[in-house]
Amino acid sequence: MKNYIKPIIALFTVILTCCTDVIDVDVQTDTLRLVVEASLDWEKGTTGNDQVITLRTSTPFFDTERTNVTGAEVNVTNNATGEVFRFTDQNDGTYTTSTFQPQLFATYTLEIVYNGERYVAEDTMNPVPNITDIYQDTEDGFDDEAIELHIVFTDFEDEGDNYLFKFERPQDLLPTLETGDDEFINGNEVDWWYEIDDDEDEEIKPLLPGDVVNISMHGISRSYFNYMDIVIDQMGGVGIFEATPVDVRGNCINTTNPDNYAHGYFRVTETNRVSYTVE
Amino acid sequence: MTVKLKRHYWRQRLFFCMVLLLMITSTQVVAQSTYTVSGKISDIKNGETLFGASVFLEGTSIGVVTNEYGFYSLTAPEGKYTLLVTFMGYTDIQQEINLTQNQQFNFEISEASTQLDEVEVIADEPERAILRKPEMSVLKMNIETVKQMPVVLGEVDILKSLQMLPGVTNNGEGTGGFHVRGGAGDQNLVLLDEAIIYNTSHMFGFFSVFNADAIKDVKLYKGGIPARYGGRVSSVLDVRQKDGNSKRFTATGGIGIISSRLALEAPLFKEKGSFLIAGRRSYADLLLKAAGEDNSVSFYDLNLKTNYKINTNNRLFLSGYFGRDAFELGENFSSSYGNSTANLRWNHIFNDKLFSNLSAIYSKYDYELGITSAEFDWVSSITNYNLKYDLKYYFSDTFKLDFGASGIHYEFDPGEIIPTTETSSVNPLILDKKKALETGLYVNAEHKLTEKLTAQYGLRYSAFSRLGGQPITEYANNQPVVYNEDLGIYERGEAIGETVYEKGDAIKTFGNLEPRASLAYTLNDNSSLKAGFSRVAQYIHLLSNTSSATPLDVWTPSGQYIDPQLSNQYALGYFRNFKNTAYSMEAEIYYKNTDNRIDYIDGSDLIGQNTIETEILKGESRAYGLELLFRKNEGKFTGWISYTLSKSEQRTPGGNAGGLGINDGNWYNTPYDRTHDVSISGSYRLNDKWSFGTNLVFQTGRPVTYPNGQYEYEGVSIASYSDRNSDRLPAYHRLDLSVNYKPNRKPNAKLKGEWVLGIYNAYNRKNAASVSFGQNIETGANEATRTAIFGIVPSITYNFKF
């Protein structure tokens, strides 16, 4: 529902954005924090053994450099079985394992020791329904001339399913992320559409024949949904009619020094991955 | 429990009656024979009754100003007097009276300038400092002044003009509503002919819903709110429509860039009545459609008023407003919203000392959204029925009493989803409808204590019952919001069940005593000191976590989880006229605090939210400031300089939810905080043909939240944000210019035309309505993007009257 109404608010803003320009602004600088990108996604039809966790630090807002974190200790534990998966430092900010055992509905704990401080996070692996159809059309979406992709799936019967979609077109620098839940569509066959609006200012082209779109669809926990929902809302910047931006908190707790919390998230999900070539 | 509540209630009623009795008896001092003269003051040209005209007995300090219906009544000892009627901009009238019995005198006065609708060289009475009345913190605007001010796109706008005065701001261009003394938009009670207007904006705030051609007068109470008003803690904007010309048929209209308007007025029933009908419509949508564009934005509104004089003592008024905004994007999205109101009033004069008015009022605001591609409609609304009875008793020349009662029945429909096809993947949904009853009883005295000291004191008792007919969710540990110690965030509480309240039950009842008082001490003929205190309760709240209100924001009543907002305001003022009222100066300081002001937890989600209590925390707000206004009231050049220095803050502790609260429980700026606000407005009348107007505005930037860092996640740079409202937009300033030209016309020509040329934001300042932060799509680098709504905007309007 919200997913439909939010664009409307964005559209109010579109009408107003007759005159936007890029300006120099002084911003405050927070202490630099550990950033955790620990996304253990179990792609359907694979073993899910190979997993990567990336650690970086945050940077001042206008800096363009990225700083990798090396020398951390990274482990993931299956809470029920007590099985521990060690992630090896690749000295480039990534930590990898090839022995991860994914299990639906299992809860996992991430533990990171970095700079003498210990961070922990927990998440539960949620299932994702199969994609039953992908097709293209122009009828729907904001622009009835632009091509949009449709992903069809049937929401699980029980209420409380949450989804994350990621759409990537290789020629674009940034992916599109969307969240969904079944609050208003529980148990229904869902047709989820994705469209790129023509934007002459930013030189973004709508979907055109020949374009490849890589799609991933994750079954996610409610708390991760809440996190991503805010992250996505604030991603492109926050306009006048959108909620005042907030500092979104992930699930990585610093148990040594709680004020020095980490950014990012530890998620475990079941995932569909597909590619679609626009005709 | 119920018994206790009732006893409490009766005790308050009793107290209320005692106060009333005390006030009446305390003034019965002299038994000398006195007589009363009463009547109505109206404009000779169109029969419109005049609000705020002075009627006094020359050589005495006995005087009164007319009420909203032009009625006056004054009482004096037996004797011969000269009665003087004055209203600035009008010719004075004198009448010799021999007061040996009660008498009635109705006066029709004529405008000082012989030609109609010429620029007023002299400001109207209300625009000078009013010294003797304890009334303070009040802004009155003459509709003619409003019409002369330069405005964006030539659309005359009462709300924008009020923002040129001290203590009134908006939240940036293109945003709706207004803010008074650091208060939120929903803390303003906006009345159009007594009916509540829930959304004052057209086109998301570019324009206001008030069509100046249909408006008689505008009064904004920034504080010292009289006891007859209640329900909003920040201000009362009382807008009254014209009654309609009772002398002859007139048509007024204008053709502008954005909209055109036409108002027709005429007498009815052999001058026993009259009517006004005014319409306004924008036409951007027609042009867009003609240009083959799918997207369109439009608004229109319709004002109606008619009155009928049954006899000297009884008069009926019927007024209505209907306005709507519509907006379409392609074929897939359509949205529309608007206010509708109706009011039937009965003025009854019991005798020459007792005036009464009974009103039955209906008011509704609704919002609709249709999404064809997703096959559903979304609708929400708020409706109220209001019955009120107000009386004014002109007891003696030193004592006047206002009293009355009102009851408002609210129906809140926060939202419904209606699938428009059978195959729609969206399920139907109805958010819980809510009902409530707000009642008020008041009494207010205007009491001249000595020759120099006048007091106004009163009491309002308000009660609010949230009515049943809906379930209320219950939460574990009675915590709709819970602080998560580990993550340091506020989360929604765990629902453990619900209680269903039957239709006859009250879910929750509140009652509040609201004392109001002010004093005026006349220092000399030209200056006075005033002080005021007011306590006001507010029972309904507009839910909005965006920096500017949007048309889809919904109102919600107080109840189980939301307490009424309670505010106390203290103000002190110094008022002075110079050079026999050619210049005037007003200075006020105020302090106000509001309890139970809610704010939204990080990541709150208000759209389609059935359990609002899981998204909010209860806090308090405070605002204080200094306001200065210096006016030049006479001469070829008239105008004012206004300056406000102020602070508006909020504190929201965790309370029952645990934790320190929003922003660690520290005070933070509200979005309405403006440290400095300077407005200069001037008009210069060269001759009968040409006149010029200008506005100059400077304001501290609006508090906003900017990023304080970034991190990469999912291939995207994510911003981390600093404390709530701890940054500011760049300062806002602009200059507007206008020229009015009245072409030569024959003295007897019926049609009178006028051209208005305007330039808004003359030096093309790009004032930031918002600054948003994101990644450049090509380079990936973070950047700050400013949205400026209006650059330099020239406009031309043609106004006519016949």
Side-chain angles (χ1 to χ4, degrees):
Chain A
M1 214 330 270
K2 211 171 70 172
N3 299 301
Y4 294 111
I5 290 187
K6 271 186 190 154
I8 295 298
I9 297 179
L11 282 165
F12 289 158
T13 324
V14 167
I15 291 180
L16 300 177
T17 50
C18 40
C19 8
T20 58
D21 58 352
V22 173
I23 55 168
D24 287 330
V25 170
D26 288 330
V27 295
Q28 305 174 44
T29 298
D30 186 30
T31 46
L32 302 183
R33 300 176 184 281
L34 177 66
V35 178
V36 178
E37 185 165 6
S39 303
L40 309 188
D41 299 327
W42 180 20
E43 187 182 338
K44 279 196 177 178
T46 70
T47 59
N49 296 148
D50 292 318
Q51 297 293 346
V52 182
I53 288 174
T54 307
L55 301 183
R56 303 184 192 90
T57 65
S58 61
T59 55
F61 185 73
F62 288 112
D63 277 18
T64 44
E65 280 174 32
R66 300 284 179 267
T67 45
N68 297 325
V69 164
T70 54
E73 264 177 60
V74 182
N75 295 315
V76 171
T77 309
N78 180 325
N79 288 9
T81 62
E83 198 176 352
V84 178
F85 310 101
R86 284 188 200 293
F87 283 70
T88 319
D89 188 351
Q90 303 298 320
N91 290 317
D92 59 354
T94 62
Y95 298 77
T96 57
T97 184
S98 54
T99 59
F100 183 67
Q101 294 295 325
Q103 189 189 334
L104 282 180
F105 305 108
T107 300
Y108 294 87
T109 301
L110 168 73
E111 185 190 22
I112 297 168
V113 178
Y114 169 61
N115 265 355
E117 293 183 356
R118 179 173 166 268
Y119 299 83
V120 292
E122 237 183 43
D123 197 30
T124 302
M125 182 172 283
N126 282 270
V128 70
N130 290 322
I131 294 174
T132 52
D133 192 15
I134 301 187
Y135 65 96
Q136 67 183 70
D137 202 352
T138 57
E139 292 278 300
D140 292 313
F142 296 107
D143 184 341
D144 49 19
E145 279 160 33
I147 296 172
E148 76 272 347
L149 291 191
H150 292 256
I151 297 157
V152 183
F153 62 94
T154 304
D155 180 62
F156 293 121
E157 252 176 48
D158 291 337
E159 190 162 344
D161 301 309
N162 306 288
Y163 306 110
L164 173 71
F165 297 88
K166 186 173 183 179
F167 301 92
E168 287 172 292
R169 191 167 55 163
Q171 65 266 41
D172 294 338
L173 189 67
L174 302 175
T176 302
L177 293 158
E178 291 175 0
T179 49
D181 67 11
D182 62 356
E183 191 181 351
F184 300 100
I185 52 168
N186 183 38
N188 295 353
E189 180 174 85
V190 180
D191 184 323
W192 191 273
W193 55 260
Y194 165 67
E195 181 181 84
I196 301 177
D197 293 324
D198 205 351
D199 188 333
E200 283 159 21
D201 294 342
E202 304 267 19
E203 291 177 13
I204 304 173
K205 294 264 181 306
L207 289 175
L208 296 172
D211 282 358
V212 176
V213 182
N214 298 317
I215 302 160
S216 49
M217 175 187 176
H218 310 266
I220 59 172
S221 62
R222 188 65 191 178
S223 44
Y224 185 56
F225 171 88
N226 289 336
Y227 172 80
M228 283 310 287
D229 210 31
I230 307 175
V231 165
I232 292 168
D233 266 0
Q234 299 183 171
M235 213 172 255
V238 174
I240 346 180
F241 289 123
E242 292 165 80
T244 309
V246 296
D247 191 25
V248 55
R249 293 278 190 95
N251 61 346
C252 303
I253 304 160
N254 184 330
T255 56
T256 318
N257 175 12
D259 285 342
N260 192 25
Y261 60 86
H263 288 305
Y265 214 93
F266 170 56
R267 79 170 184 220
V268 281
T269 73
E270 191 188 25
T271 303
N272 290 312
R273 265 191 238 283
V274 277
S275 270
Y276 181 87
T277 306
V278 180
E279 287 160 9
Chain B
M1 187 58 207
T2 38
V3 179
K4 256 189 184 168
L5 252 174
K6 272 187 182 156
R7 270 179 55 195
H8 178 59
Y9 176 72
W10 281 112
R11 212 164 34 205
Q12 284 179 329
R13 285 278 293 269
L14 196 69
F15 174 67
F16 189 75
C17 294
M18 280 169 63
V19 171
L20 190 83
L21 211 69
L22 201 76
M23 288 196 288
I24 291 176
T25 49
S26 69
T27 54
Q28 278 184 336
V29 200
V30 202
Q32 192 191 347
S33 60
T34 57
Y35 297 102
T36 302
V37 51
S38 64
K40 283 202 172 150
I41 314 289
S42 53
D43 185 314
I44 197 163
K45 179 186 74 200
N46 53 26
E48 290 282 340
T49 55
L50 298 172
F51 174 25
S54 309
V55 184
F56 59 97
L57 301 175
E58 210 174 36
T60 73
S61 62
I62 299 170
V64 70
V65 291
T66 55
N67 74 3
E68 294 85 346
Y69 303 94
F71 180 81
Y72 75 92
S73 165
L74 46 86
T75 302
E78 191 171 339
K80 286 189 177 177
Y81 297 96
T82 305
L83 187 84
L84 200 64
V85 179
T86 64
F87 192 43
M88 267 304 203
Y90 285 77
T91 313
D92 296 355
I93 282 195
Q94 287 188 7
Q95 172 79 38
E96 300 300 325
I97 57 166
N98 191 359
L99 209 56
T100 53
Q101 60 182 46
N102 293 342
Q103 315 179 17
Q104 274 210 349
F105 280 106
N106 294 330
F107 296 100
E108 290 195 321
I109 59 176
S110 54
E111 278 183 80
S113 118
T114 47
Q115 273 175 307
L116 300 181
D117 73 329
E118 282 294 351
V119 183
E120 289 304 326
V121 187
I122 303 167
D124 253 329
E125 178 86 24
E127 299 193 343
R128 293 177 303 159
I130 293 166
L131 300 177
R132 285 185 185 272
K133 282 193 89 178
E135 184 174 272
M136 65 185 296
S137 308
V138 171
L139 299 175
K140 259 196 96 168
M141 253 206 166
N142 179 335
I143 213 74
E144 289 307 318
T145 313
V146 173
K147 285 182 177 177
Q148 297 300 330
M149 290 171 65
V151 279
V152 66
L153 293 162
E155 288 292 311
V156 172
D157 193 329
I158 292 166
L159 291 186
K160 298 261 172 358
S161 299
L162 280 170
Q163 289 159 17
M164 293 296 293
L165 292 166
V168 192
T169 58
N170 67 12
N171 233 357
E173 281 162 336
T175 62
F178 58 100
H179 302 281
V180 177
R181 290 188 168 172
D186 73 329
Q187 294 175 332
N188 303 319
L189 178 63
V190 180
L191 301 173
L192 179 63
D193 269 354
E194 300 188 318
I196 300 170
I197 299 288
Y198 291 98
N199 183 343
T200 53
S201 46
H202 276 314
M203 288 193 181
F204 327 112
F206 280 56
F207 312 109
S208 85
V209 297
F210 304 109
N211 176 354
D213 284 345
I215 305 299
K216 180 150 84 174
D217 56 59
V218 179
K219 202 167 180 179
L220 177 71
Y221 299 88
K222 299 185 287 184
I225 297 172
R228 71 193 144 106
Y229 298 108
R232 299 291 186 286
V233 296
S234 186
S235 79
V236 177
L237 177 66
D238 193 355
V239 181
R240 302 210 173 231
Q241 300 193 128
K242 284 182 187 171
D243 297 334
N245 197 320
S246 59
K247 304 278 176 166
R248 63 180 189 94
F249 171 81
T250 53
T252 324
I255 299 161
I257 297 175
I258 294 296
S259 74
S260 281
R261 61 209 140 75
L262 182 66
L264 305 175
E265 300 171 51
L268 282 175
F269 314 109
K270 296 178 185 164
E271 298 194 10
K272 281 202 144 192
S274 63
F275 75 90
L276 161 91
I277 177 163
R280 178 168 64 150
R281 193 199 194 282
S282 69
Y283 31 66
D285 57 318
L286 305 177
L287 299 177
L288 287 170
K289 284 227 166 93
E293 188 70 42
D294 283 344
N295 305 341
S296 85
V297 195
S298 69
F299 71 84
Y300 67 86
D301 43 30
L302 195 65
N303 298 67
L304 249 167
K305 182 140 174 198
T306 172
N307 68 86
Y308 179 69
K309 193 168 143 191
I310 302 167
N311 55 38
T312 352
N313 291 332
N314 292 286
R315 199 168 175 192
L316 289 177
F317 295 86
L318 179 68
S319 49
Y321 167 80
F322 186 75
R324 201 122 197 111
D325 274 71
F327 135 79
E328 281 170 36
L329 276 143
E331 286 177 355
N332 278 329
F333 296 88
S334 64
S335 145
S336 81
Y337 61 91
N339 298 284
S340 344
T341 72
N343 182 4
L344 178 63
R345 273 179 285 185
W346 173 39
N347 269 195
H348 175 64
I349 300 169
F350 283 97
N351 56 51
D352 45 24
K353 286 188 173 187
L354 186 59
F355 179 92
S356 74
N357 179 63
L358 178 70
S359 303
I361 313 159
Y362 162 85
S363 163
K364 180 178 184 175
Y365 173 74
D366 73 298
Y367 177 82
E368 269 177 43
L369 172 68
I371 301 184
T372 321
S373 59
E375 299 159 356
F376 77 89
D377 285 343
W378 164 264
V379 293
S380 70
S381 67
I382 176 170
T383 310
N384 76 260
Y385 302 90
N386 181 358
L387 194 66
K388 68 199 265 284
Y389 194 41
D390 300 294
L391 296 111
K392 181 152 191 154
Y393 186 51
Y394 296 82
F395 187 80
S396 70
D397 66 309
T398 55
F399 194 80
K400 293 167 198 79
L401 205 61
D402 288 295
F403 54 101
S406 74
I408 306 176
H409 184 262
Y410 294 101
E411 289 171 15
F412 302 84
D413 183 357
E416 277 177 53
I417 294 172
I418 306 156
T420 49
T421 62
E422 290 201 351
T423 53
S424 172
S425 64
V426 175
N427 298 338
L429 172 96
I430 301 181
L431 299 182
D432 293 337
K433 292 186 181 180
K434 301 165 182 135
K435 286 187 173 170
L437 182 67
E438 183 176 341
T439 50
L441 269 177
Y442 73 89
V443 57
N444 184 62
E446 196 178 316
H447 192 168
K448 197 158 121 191
L449 297 163
T450 72
E451 211 42 49
K452 295 202 154 190
L453 189 64
T454 307
Q456 190 170 298
Y457 48 91
L459 188 65
R460 183 180 180 88
Y461 176 72
S462 61
F464 188 82
S465 293
R466 172 78 174 271
L467 305 173
Q470 68 161 114
I472 296 281
T473 309
E474 273 157 16
Y475 299 90
N477 307 316
N478 200 24
Q479 287 174 304
V481 175
V482 186
Y483 184 67
N484 181 327
E485 291 277 348
D486 293 333
L487 298 180
I489 55 173
Y490 285 94
E491 293 176 333
R492 290 166 190 116
E494 186 199 342
I496 51 166
E498 57 180 35
T499 311
V500 178
Y501 289 86
E502 295 304 322
K503 279 205 166 146
D505 298 349
I507 297 172
K508 183 108 192 200
T509 305
F510 303 94
N512 283 293
L513 279 175
E514 307 173 26
R516 319 272 171 93
S518 48
L519 274 176
Y521 182 74
T522 315
L523 297 166
N524 55 43
D525 281 354
N526 288 320
S527 59
S528 67
L529 273 177
K530 298 183 189 184
F533 167 77
S534 58
R535 180 175 175 80
V536 189
Q538 173 165 351
Y539 299 98
I540 70 170
H541 322 269
L542 183 67
L543 300 169
S544 174
N545 59 356
T546 56
S547 50
S548 296
T550 73
L552 20 75
D553 294 338
V554 296
W555 289 84
T556 203
S558 297
Q560 185 104 335
Y561 298 110
I562 303 179
D563 289 334
Q565 300 176 48
L566 285 175
S567 103
N568 290 322
Q569 186 177 167
Y570 311 82
L572 260 180
Y574 174 70
F575 301 79
R576 183 173 177 144
N577 288 327
F578 301 90
K579 291 198 171 168
N580 194 24
T581 76
Y583 298 88
S584 58
M585 190 207 105
E586 299 174 28
E588 287 195 34
I589 51 171
Y590 66 89
Y591 176 85
K592 118 176 131 177
N593 68 300
T594 306
D595 288 342
N596 305 329
R597 177 72 194 165
I598 54 176
D599 204 353
Y600 305 89
I601 60 171
D602 285 355
S604 60
D605 183 3
L606 304 179
I607 296 169
Q609 182 59 261
N610 206 24
T611 52
I612 290 303
E613 59 272 15
T614 60
E615 312 298 308
I616 56 171
L617 287 176
K618 188 171 80 178
E620 61 173 321
S621 65
R622 66 180 180 197
Y624 45 93
L626 163 74
E627 297 170 351
L628 296 173
L629 178 64
F630 183 79
R631 294 195 202 240
K632 183 172 187 300
N633 301 314
E634 294 173 21
K636 284 202 159 189
F637 178 78
T638 57
W640 67 82
I641 299 171
S642 121
Y643 172 70
T644 312
L645 173 70
S646 64
K647 183 88 197 152
S648 169
E649 301 174 291
Q650 162 107 11
R651 178 165 67 177
T652 317
N656 188 33
L660 291 173
I662 293 169
N663 197 27
D664 292 335
N666 296 319
W667 288 100
Y668 53 92
N669 292 327
T670 69
Y672 330 113
D673 178 61
R674 302 286 182 281
T675 312
H676 304 283
D677 179 2
V678 185
S679 307
I680 300 172
S681 179
S683 70
Y684 181 76
R685 186 188 177 214
L686 184 67
N687 53 37
D688 285 350
K689 276 191 203 163
W690 294 94
S691 61
F692 305 89
T694 184
N695 288 335
L696 183 64
V697 182
F698 174 90
Q699 256 177 38
T700 307
R702 172 163 59 87
V704 285
T705 312
Y706 279 172
N708 61 7
Q710 64 164 332
Y711 55 93
E712 195 181 323
Y713 184 74
E714 282 287 333
V716 182
S717 163
I718 309 293
S720 61
Y721 282 89
S722 52
D723 291 341
R724 194 170 288 196
N725 295 338
S726 65
D727 298 281
R728 277 185 194 276
L729 290 179
Y732 178 99
H733 51 89
R734 59 159 224 272
L735 172 76
D736 313 327
L737 302 167
S738 71
V739 179
N740 286 42
Y741 172 65
K742 289 175 183 160
N744 260 336
R745 53 196 181 210
K746 290 170 192 132
N748 295 327
K750 272 206 156 180
L751 177 75
K752 284 160 181 138
E754 169 195 45
W755 290 95
V756 185
L757 276 125
I759 301 175
Y760 181 88
N761 194 0
Y763 56 85
N764 197 22
R765 157 96 178 161
K766 286 190 174 175
N767 283 305
S770 75
V771 174
S772 81
F773 294 85
Q775 268 178 292
N776 183 299
I777 269 170
E778 281 151 53
T779 65
N782 281 334
E783 59 190 21
T785 307
R786 161 174 70 187
T787 302
I789 310 259
F790 294 118
I792 179 167
V793 187
S795 66
I796 181 160
T797 310
Y798 178 72
N799 294 322
F800 60 87
K801 190 167 189 172
F802 57 83

